[in-house]
Amino acid sequence: MTDTTDENFRLEGTGFAYTMSLISGKYKMPILYCLSKYEVVRYNALKRYLGKVTFKTLTESLKALEKDGLVLRKEYPQVPPKVEYSLTEKGQSLIPMLTALCTWGENHRQSPE
């Protein structure tokens, strides 16, 4: 194997690092996946889809995704409060990548390597 070390290379500042900063975390990609599948989702439905996620973790993940421009939060002025989440155009642009990950997983999850 040849040495391909580039001592000047730094991962930070690359497109990969930027993408990972947006989607890293245990629940961000599952949230994006759920929103891509169901389009508009209320908070409690999202919590049900994700399973054992805590209120705090889900709230923090949604706020981060909203801050990064991937998720849109729409609040309706009523009692009790109604909040819906959906993907922004930027968030929707990540879906082909998530679809490719899903396809890869389906193709390899049963292979014994």
Side-chain angles (χ1 to χ4, degrees), residues 29-52:
M29 286 201 304
I31 289 168
L32 294 171
Y33 179 79
C34 287
L35 293 176
S36 74
K37 184 170 178 68
Y38 299 108
E39 295 182 11
V40 177
V41 181
R42 293 182 66 181
Y43 183 90
N44 286 333
L46 195 52
K47 191 166 182 345
R48 269 192 314 276
Y49 296 146
L50 297 175
K52 295 183 179 185

Side-chain angles (χ1 to χ4, degrees), residues 13-80:
T14 64
F16 177 80
Y18 173 70
T19 303
M20 292 307 295
S21 75
L22 296 179
I23 63 172
S24 65
K26 186 173 180 178
Y27 291 102
K28 287 183 178 180
M29 286 201 304
I31 289 168
L32 294 171
Y33 179 79
C34 287
L35 293 176
S36 74
K37 184 170 178 68
Y38 299 108
E39 295 182 11
V40 177
V41 181
R42 293 182 66 181
Y43 183 90
N44 286 333
L46 195 52
K47 191 166 182 345
R48 269 192 314 276
Y49 296 146
L50 297 175
K52 295 183 179 185
V53 64
T54 65
F55 173 83
K56 179 182 177 188
T57 301
L58 179 55
T59 300
E60 287 175 355
S61 296
L62 285 166
K63 283 182 180 180
L65 289 167
E66 184 183 7
K67 178 182 164 271
D68 290 332
L70 301 176
V71 169
L72 178 66
R73 179 181 190 270
K74 185 172 183 181
E75 187 173 344
Y76 295 89
Q78 64 186 49
V79 177

